[in-house]
Amino acid sequence: EGVDRNNALNRRTMDEFEKDLASLVKGTYVKQGLQNIKTRQNNIQSLVHHRKLPTDGWSEFEIEFLVKELAFMDSNNFTSNVGVGEREGRLFSSIVLRRNFQLAHGIGRSGDISEVQPKAAGSSLMLKLCTHLVSHAIELSGITCAKKCLVLPLATGMSITMCLLALKAKNGDGKYVIWSRIDQKSCFKAILTAGLIPLVVENCISENELVTDVANIVRLLGEYGKEVLCVISTTSCFAPRQPDLLDVVAVRCQEFGVAHVVNNAYGLQCEYICKLINRAAAVGRLDAVVQSTDKNFMVPVGGAIVFSPHTTFIDSLSAMYPGRASAAPVLDLFITLLSMGVSGYRQLLQERLRLHSLLYNGLEAFAERHKDHGVKILNAKKNSISIAVSLGATELQSEGEAVGKDLSFFGSMLFSRNVSGCRVVPCNVSKATEIAGHEFYNWGAHSSAYPYSYFTVACSIGTTQHDVDVFLERLEKTIVKFYKKQLNDDKVPAGTKA
């Protein structure tokens, strides 16, 4: 009887429902309220139809409304559902339930991370919509060569490993990966985790910049032949390293029939890098481009985006993932992109450029004040995210192990003053850094022979004016105290308070 009554109510028209409401509250108020509901529903319908970022970011209320609507479509939230399987979206903690908006089934199925789950239509819709929004954001960044993308619930390093495994599945002879040296352990370990052998190519030093040694890459391609699975090049990196010459590498990879994977960790926010990726895809071979979700879109760590000029590669990568996956990184990204909208994302990109110029000018002035100690900006003209500044006190440059200890202390001084993200790189240190049996000298400098010790800072998306202003102030005070302690130098530049 109760079911029959509910079915009868469901058959009532919207007009009849409005009349029922108007019998309780004045009709004009009801019309106004229902119109607001209709507007929000129209926004959702527009999102599903166009599958693009909204022009302006949605409010938190609107986003929560949509996510909860999607959650109602998952079987664990059906009012009449009876679950008798081993995995039924059961959540013990109410805190966990609220944190995940009752989306408990994850994404994908055992055969494909992109496959729709019968028990989780809402979660599957969220994944599909998020993928479309990511594609639009990639396009807004300036990328035109991305034919298909995939959001993985893995950080950049493991996502590179997945790409290598997908390539390995199609090339049984490939066991070597040519790696243009980038001193980030995750990228190097990604090769080892895939069961492959890295062939390390040192960078060339040119006017204090570190650039791709294309000649050595070509030499290794010729020497190892069909046993080379791919070349991994890097775009976004710590100065004074430049983005790799992707277009030149892509041409060589195409000549030798070797795959090309790009580590683009935080490169989506850089116009030059996006143009470089487009050119590489146009003139040569480009199989996959991997970037972080947290570094490009300000979400918690745990996700990455892989795009490719070839839809077949993304399909094979998607099918490579074993089992279901956490929906949390996708949900975080989905919510964030809806919050940004087109206007919000573009504004963030423009503000980053403005603040990078401000930071660079401030560091130039800093270097001028301390030039007597050999402090100078180490130019990396095509690296518009990271800035390197030499800590070139000649008294410290040739003291072997003391260099590392002294300059690391400078980094500790900054960190203790609540400056995070500033990396101090001691060079000319004789002790090697070992990573899984491989030795690297001057680890952190991307080169075994780089002549200057330095520190790097980055102006990435989300940096604020306050971050830049306060950092420059704290840097000035810290360097004065550092020189006083290490060099017994009481000289303080004019206008500086120690």
Side-chain angles (χ1 to χ4, degrees), residues 18-138:
E18 186 176 333
K19 287 179 182 178
D20 287 343
L21 293 176
S23 69
L24 299 170
V25 177
K26 191 175 179 179
T28 53
Y29 301 158
V30 170
K31 275 186 177 296
Q32 190 177 30
L34 289 176
Q35 184 59 42
N36 183 54
I37 291 174
K38 187 176 180 181
T39 299
R40 297 189 188 283
Q41 290 173 336
N42 288 342
N43 287 341
I44 294 173
Q45 289 173 6
S46 177
L47 176 70
V48 173
H49 178 70
H50 295 291
R51 302 168 191 181
K52 300 277 188 179
L53 288 169
T55 302
D56 298 309
W58 286 11
S59 68
E60 290 184 8
F61 186 82
E62 289 176 297
I63 295 170
E64 286 190 17
F65 179 78
L66 170 58
V67 175
K68 287 177 180 178
E69 289 282 285
L70 292 172
F72 276 128
M73 297 176 71
D74 282 5
S75 64
N76 60 300
N77 298 315
F78 293 175
T79 53
S80 59
N81 187 67
V82 176
V84 291
E86 81 288 351
R87 176 189 279 155
E88 295 297 329
R90 304 181 181 102
L91 299 176
F92 176 81
S93 168
S94 59
I95 296 174
V96 172
L97 182 144
R98 291 193 303 273
R99 176 180 177 270
N100 292 279
F101 291 91
Q102 297 182 227
L103 294 166
H105 281 287
I107 55 173
R109 301 186 75 183
S110 58
D112 194 321
I113 196 173
S114 297
E115 198 171 332
V116 174
Q117 281 191 52
K119 289 192 291 186
S123 295
S124 300
L125 272 170
M126 186 265 295
L127 171 62
K128 299 295 185 182
L129 284 172
C130 183
T131 303
H132 283 291
L133 297 185
V134 168
S135 293
H136 190 199
I138 290 170

Side-chain angles (χ1 to χ4, degrees), residues 64 106 116 137 142 150 163 184 186 202 211 214 231 259 263 305 312 331 357 363 387 389 406-407 431 478 482 490 497:
E64 286 190 17
V116 174
L150 178 67
C163 290
Q184 296 165 326
S186 60
E202 287 277 345
V211 297
V214 177
V231 176
N263 174 11
I305 299 160
T312 52
L331 179 59
S357 295
L363 289 171
I387 305 169
V389 181
D406 288 338
L407 295 182
K431 185 178 179 181
T478 303
F482 172 71
D490 293 323
K497 294 182 180 178

